[in-house]
Amino acid sequence: MTEFSGPTPKESGPGGTPGVVAADGSFWFPVEKSFRAISDYVKTVVPPSLARVLPTGGMTLFPVVGPVAELAAMPDGSLLFKTAVGPEGRPAAVWQISAAGAITATAIDP
């Protein structure tokens, strides 16, 4: 087993949203707010994000507009996710993120 450092998945807290495995084998999980230690133990705040961990272990964070309430992998390799709030404090919204990390709003009613 290989252990990788990074932010703590939101799922690790009570009532958290579980992560999903995408079609390419990468693991995605929401990060609501976390502290990540850097080289000399300086801590930085990680804003609400989606984290993608590749099968090779590389990890990328994709900032989102608010905490992720739901997450689903799609057959084309993209993911749909619902944020608890939309842009500029509007009600919840459903978004799509591509395997490359491009985020677009959807017309899906949350």
Side-chain angles (χ1 to χ4, degrees), residues 42-77:
V42 174
K43 295 189 177 193
T44 59
V45 175
V46 177
S49 304
L50 279 175
R52 178 187 65 200
V53 181
L54 299 172
T56 58
M59 184 174 69
T60 306
L61 292 176
F62 300 95
V64 295
V65 298
V68 175
E70 295 178 38
L71 184 61
M74 305 305 290
D76 66 357

Side-chain angles (χ1 to χ4, degrees), residues 39 43 55 69 106:
S39 58
K43 295 189 177 193
T106 70

Side-chain angles (χ1 to χ4, degrees), residues 10-90:
K10 181 182 173 192
E11 167 183 37
S12 62
T17 303
V20 297
V21 176
D24 65 358
S26 60
F27 178 66
W28 291 75
F29 61 92
V31 177
E32 187 170 321
K33 185 187 251 185
S34 177
F35 291 94
R36 180 174 52 171
I38 305 180
S39 58
D40 52 352
Y41 299 102
V42 174
K43 295 189 177 193
T44 59
V45 175
V46 177
S49 304
L50 279 175
R52 178 187 65 200
V53 181
L54 299 172
T56 58
M59 184 174 69
T60 306
L61 292 176
F62 300 95
V64 295
V65 298
V68 175
E70 295 178 38
L71 184 61
M74 305 305 290
D76 66 357
S78 68
L79 283 89
L80 290 179
F81 64 96
K82 181 173 113 176
T83 54
V85 295
E88 301 171 7
R90 293 184 183 154

